[in-house]
Amino acid sequence: MAGGILLIVSGPSGVGKGTVCRYLLSMSDTVKLSVSTTTRSPRPTEREGIDYHFTSPSRFKEMIEEGAFLEWAIVHGHYYGTGLEAVQNSLFYGEDLILEIDVQGAVQVMQKLPEAISVFLAPPSLEALEERIIGRGTESTEKINSRLTTARQEMESYYLYDYLVVNDQVENAAELISAIIDAEKCKVSRGVRPPGWGGERQ
Ligand code: 5GP
């Protein structure tokens, strides 16, 4: 039987990856979201082990040395990483796992695990993305400019991905990603066989 899908959902900073992935989770009983490790401080609503594993920069660096991460990156001055063991366990048990990660991390996973399916979430326009980043509120002009520059650069790597989904409406984007998962699960090249046909290719 074909195993679970490892799905990378990435895209520029501010495109709404988190919101789309949360909506996607609410649509499905089977899809799981990988819980990343980060060195940034928890936001008021965030919970340890559910939104992130929060840790110190020194512990994060130790974990890098220990080979604990499938990928890691520095995003807006903080470390973020995907734990290798949790991904391996998920794949072993045939679960569908989503990695909601930045573009640097996505490229690392594509190189290490070519079987991973990658989705680039794009904004309806560059202007819409800029408005979102500026509209986030309380950040300094310097920080906003740095985010804008990064987001424009991140947009340029869309061609590395298997799929491009435009986040015009959260529901539409989540439904498209859900359709991608369904289609991937029907692929004969992933080991799908007719009912009663047995597991392995003869
Ligand atoms: P936030 O701090 O707003 O939750 O996330 C900031 C950025 O870090 C987002 O673009 C998010 O996709 C990315 N991110 C979250 N977890 C990971 C991870 O494990 N690895 C990488 N490379 N990026 C991550």
Side-chain angles (χ1 to χ4, degrees), residues 30-89:
T30 55
V31 174
K32 293 194 170 167
L33 188 63
S34 161
V35 179
S36 298
T37 301
T38 184
T39 60
R40 82 150 163 76
S41 309
R43 296 178 183 137
T45 57
E46 288 178 334
R47 284 164 299 166
E48 164 62 34
I50 295 179
D51 299 287
Y52 279 104
H53 300 291
F54 296 97
T55 195
S56 65
S58 60
R59 178 65 196 127
F60 196 101
K61 286 178 200 161
E62 275 172 16
M63 291 173 77
I64 295 174
E65 293 302 315
E66 290 162 10
F69 295 117
L70 171 61
E71 63 73 34
W72 64 271
I74 299 174
V75 186
H76 308 308
H78 302 289
Y79 286 87
Y80 292 83
T82 303
L84 180 61
E85 202 178 311
V87 171
Q88 283 171 335
N89 284 343

